[in-house]
Amino acid sequence: MKRIEVKLALPVVAPLLDVMKELADGLRGSLAAPLGVTDLDPEFGASWTDELVAAQTVDLQALLGLFDDGFFAEGVVAFDDENAEAIVRATAALRLRLREKFLTGLGDEALESGNVELDQLAEPTRKAFMCYLFLATIQELIIQHLDSSILGT
């Protein structure tokens, strides 16, 4: 089983965890990326949405679960074959919500390249942007180091 452990600086990550928890709380009962399908049978659509929301909740719990007492004691998070897919989905959900809620004024190129003048941003936007980059980094680590596990090859 492939496994990567990452040591993180607690003073840097702790404020981002507050943002992540707030976003996860805001996603209770709703999808980060709504279905937008209007031609479904209403009962089927509601059932499908409920299943997706439940799966998203489990994924978010897996991500936030990385930052438990052990993390606060040692500053280490671990990604492996067991949690990689859920963590990638959860980080994607939070990044979508960050874009929608806090980062609409920044273009796609700026968000994806990270080429933003941080001192030009208001504090809430700066914090949201740093969280966005942190989540992107987690995704990149998993994809670079565990991609064969994710893709099943």
Side-chain angles (χ1 to χ4, degrees):
M1 171 192 299
K2 289 184 179 181
R3 177 180 172 91
I4 52 175
E5 292 184 358
V6 181
K7 182 144 178 87
L8 301 168
L10 193 56
V12 174
V13 175
L16 304 179
L17 294 177
D18 293 337
V19 174
M20 292 166 53
K21 288 177 184 174
E22 179 185 326
L23 292 168
D25 287 345
L27 285 171
R28 284 195 185 137
S30 64
L31 290 171
L35 294 176
V37 180
T38 58
D39 59 346
L40 291 177
D41 174 284
E43 187 175 318
F44 176 74
S47 176
W48 190 21
T49 299
D50 290 346
E51 287 181 34
L52 291 172
V53 167
Q56 176 181 271
T57 300
V58 169
D59 293 343
L60 290 168
Q61 289 171 342
L63 173 62
L64 294 175
L66 294 174
F67 303 98
D68 59 6
D69 292 339
F71 168 74
F72 284 98
E74 300 175 23
V76 175
V77 292
F79 309 107
D80 57 32
D81 298 345
E82 298 292 319
N83 67 9
E85 286 184 60
I87 300 302
V88 169
R89 287 189 302 264
T91 54
L94 293 180
R95 289 180 76 207
L96 285 169
R97 185 52 59 106
L98 281 165
R99 288 178 79 136
E100 170 191 310
K101 202 170 178 189
F102 298 104
L103 304 173
T104 55
L106 301 176
D108 288 343
E109 185 177 326
L111 286 173
E112 295 308 315
S113 70
N115 193 10
V116 173
E117 297 290 332
L118 291 176
D119 56 343
Q120 304 279 324
L121 299 176
E123 180 60 28
T125 305
R126 183 177 327 140
K127 201 172 186 181
F129 180 69
M130 296 306 296
C131 188
Y132 187 87
L133 292 179
F134 174 64
L135 294 168
T137 301
I138 290 173
Q139 287 178 318
E140 289 173 16
L141 280 170
I142 291 172
I143 291 166
Q144 286 177 358
H145 297 285
L146 297 174
D147 68 343
S148 61
S149 308
I150 292 171
L151 299 174
T153 59

